[in-house]
Amino acid sequence: MEEDQTVYQNILVAVDDSEQSNRALKAACELARLSGGSVQLFHVRERQDVVGKGGGSFDVEYSEEAEALLRRGMDVVTGAGVTGESRIVHAPLGHVASEIIKVAHESEADTIVMGSHGRGGIAALVLGSNAYKVLHLADR
């Protein structure tokens, strides 16, 4: 006899403190609540190598901001009556989308939920969109 599994058991949610991201988190929580799934909340911090006066480089991280963002996100998750966990992921500058895919594979997520800033035209072409990149990199 086959196990009855819904698709939305392990929902991965990338957050960045934007309005679109906050809406995506609420939608993911509702999906998890309705399906009995859980939410894996994470934030990708891009590492930037900064060269100091002495010529040495160091990694600039804003971990306190990211931790506060995840705490607020987990408040939304628990407030929705959903289980979940959170973590900060570090990625090389310009590799957010590939890091999201990596996290999805590592956590065995069956669904990725993330907001999009909705850039169109030249802005989308020049700046790109992490949501668009994830859509094209993700397994279907």
Side-chain angles (χ1 to χ4, degrees):
M1 180 181 229
E2 287 185 40
E3 269 187 57
D4 181 28
Q5 282 189 306
T6 58
V7 177
Y8 307 111
Q9 290 301 294
N10 188 8
I11 303 169
L12 188 68
V13 184
V15 294
D16 65 5
D17 208 24
S18 66
E19 182 181 333
Q20 297 84 356
S21 171
N22 294 334
R23 278 191 255 143
L25 174 58
K26 289 176 185 173
C29 288
E30 181 65 9
L31 193 58
R33 188 184 66 74
L34 292 171
S35 68
S38 65
V39 171
Q40 303 293 321
L41 182 66
F42 76 104
H43 176 69
V44 179
R45 294 302 292 171
E46 289 185 283
R47 292 186 308 243
Q48 300 177 23
D49 290 330
V50 178
V51 178
K53 289 182 181 180
S57 67
F58 54 95
D59 191 31
V60 177
E61 298 178 20
Y62 301 95
S63 59
E64 287 181 14
E65 288 177 23
E67 289 171 8
L69 169 64
L70 291 176
R71 277 193 302 276
R72 290 190 305 271
M74 286 305 296
D75 287 345
V76 172
V77 171
T78 56
V82 177
T83 60
E85 54 188 57
S86 66
R87 65 178 162 156
I88 299 169
V89 176
H90 299 278
L93 190 61
H95 291 85
V96 171
S98 58
E99 198 63 32
I100 291 170
I101 297 300
K102 181 180 172 186
V103 169
H105 284 290
E106 289 173 354
S107 65
E108 298 182 356
D110 47 42
T111 306
I112 302 171
V113 177
M114 57 189 296
S116 174
H117 292 281
R119 291 187 185 102
I122 299 295
L125 184 62
V126 174
L127 301 174
S129 161
N130 285 319
Y132 180 79
K133 291 174 187 172
V134 168
L135 179 65
H136 288 281
L137 291 172
D139 297 338
R140 301 191 189 236

